[in-house]
Amino acid sequence: MKPSSRLLAHANASEVRSGRKELPTVSFVGQKGGVGKSTLARLFAVGAAHRGLKPILADFDLEQLTCVEWNAIRLQNSVEPDIDVRAFKSLKKLRKNEDRAGIVVVDTRGLADELTLDIAEESDVVFLPTGVSGYDLRPTLALARKLAKQGAEGRIVVELSKIGRSDAQLQKAMETIEASGFEQLAEHWPQRDGFQADLDSGRAGRESRNPYLRETAEKMETALFARLESARPR
Ligand SMILES: Nc1ncnc2c1ncn2[C@@H]1O[C@H](COP(=O)(O)OP(=O)(O)OP(=O)(O)O)[C@@H](O)[C@H]1O
Ligand SMILES: [Mg+2]
């Protein structure tokens, strides 16, 4: 798949002036832990790298450093392409260091704080992965409302993640999001054990060694990129 000219333009590092705000930025945020933020951030970064978009995967979860650790394993296992994965404590530091990147992919902690709000404010699309249960959906939608109030309205996309085999549960979750008025991604991220083995070997998303999982990941990647492509300019 070809990236749009807007994304490609940013992939040209010479066009990126340090500190400017237009570098495409997507973030994965949430109020709940373990819902797939880091997994989808890695899937997205891998998709961007394969599209020649020079991603920087910014890991703001300094306690877990999931993406940084994953990249170390990736390097140990010589998985290509190389991805620039770095830990950041502040947005300011990220903005100072992104000048050679074409796109910024942000992974955040499993607890929304002031930094999460700032990251959302500077993102073209803010993905909120969530499980299907009410215990996941309620805090996710509460956070979505908070982000919307802070000015991220129209850029928030709720995404049903790690979904099980129950169609009824999925349907109910979709209706709950619909009733909230927030946008939801049409593609869902299914729970499949094989994704964990891939992540443990430094792969993500389309790099899965299992053809079925690869296809599943590619569909998710396509949906996430399509949403970024349709984002309104900030
Ligand atoms: N589709 C999937 N199927 C099975 N396991 C998955 C899937 N997606 C993610 N996982 C696993 O679920 C766990 C949590 O995922 P992940 O680390 O992406 O969540 P997170 O939202 O970043 O969590 P945290 O809030 O702790 O940072 C990980 O062990 C990951 O490998
Ligand atoms: Mg995480």
Side-chain angles (χ1 to χ4, degrees):
M1 164 169 312
K2 283 209 173 128
S4 78
S5 50
R6 185 171 83 90
L7 291 181
L8 262 183
H10 285 290
N12 181 349
S14 65
E15 292 187 28
V16 177
R17 294 188 302 278
S18 135
R20 84 175 185 189
K21 272 183 102 181
E22 307 98 76
L23 200 63
T25 302
V26 299
S27 54
F28 292 84
V29 311
Q31 188 60 53
K32 294 281 289 190
V35 290
K37 295 179 295 294
S38 304
T39 299
L40 293 170
R42 285 172 284 182
L43 175 149
F44 195 97
V46 162
H50 280 272
R51 288 154 198 248
L53 294 173
K54 297 184 190 155
I56 180 167
L57 176 52
D59 192 341
F60 279 90
D61 186 350
L62 300 184
E63 268 165 45
Q64 300 198 83
L65 291 173
T66 310
C67 295
V68 170
E69 201 178 300
W70 166 80
N71 194 42
I73 300 168
R74 186 176 177 86
L75 290 167
Q76 274 164 19
N77 291 344
S78 306
V79 182
E80 292 192 341
D82 282 351
I83 296 181
D84 186 1
V85 187
R86 278 184 268 170
F88 291 100
K89 196 176 175 180
S90 71
L91 261 176
K92 210 169 146 193
K93 282 256 168 67
L94 165 62
R95 295 307 184 197
K96 266 191 192 157
N97 282 277
E98 67 183 17
D99 53 328
R100 271 184 294 165
I103 186 166
V104 179
V105 184
V106 179
D107 183 27
T108 61
R109 296 168 63 203
L111 183 74
D113 53 13
E114 278 303 311
L115 182 58
T116 312
L117 299 178
D118 292 347
I119 288 168
E121 204 178 321
E122 293 199 16
S123 299
D124 294 276
V125 187
V126 185
F127 291 110
L128 273 78
T130 174
V132 294
S133 81
Y135 296 102
D136 283 339
L137 283 166
R138 279 188 292 276
T140 301
L141 294 172
L143 175 59
R145 282 189 285 274
K146 198 170 171 183
L147 296 176
K149 255 196 205 154
Q150 295 251 337
E153 196 151 18
R155 293 182 283 122
I156 298 164
V157 181
V158 179
E159 184 272 315
L160 287 164
S161 187
K162 293 174 71 177
I163 58 164
R165 308 247 177 211
S166 165
D167 279 343
Q169 222 181 7
L170 174 62
Q171 201 57 41
K172 195 166 167 235
M174 287 168 69
E175 283 165 15
T176 304
I177 301 169
E178 171 116 42
S180 76
F182 283 102
E183 177 183 347
Q184 58 183 309
L185 200 71
E187 199 67 42
H188 307 127
W189 183 234
Q191 172 93 26
R192 299 284 181 268
D193 292 343
F195 283 127
Q196 300 197 15
D198 286 316
L199 290 165
D200 285 344
S201 67
R203 293 175 170 74
R206 62 155 75 191
E207 295 171 337
S208 176
R209 284 161 295 188
N210 173 312
Y212 168 72
L213 295 184
R214 199 156 57 229
E215 199 182 307
T216 304
E218 277 168 0
K219 276 192 205 152
M220 175 53 77
E221 183 193 308
T222 301
L224 294 171
F225 271 89
R227 182 55 187 81
L228 173 60
E229 294 289 354
S230 68
R232 280 179 304 191
R234 264 183 286 149

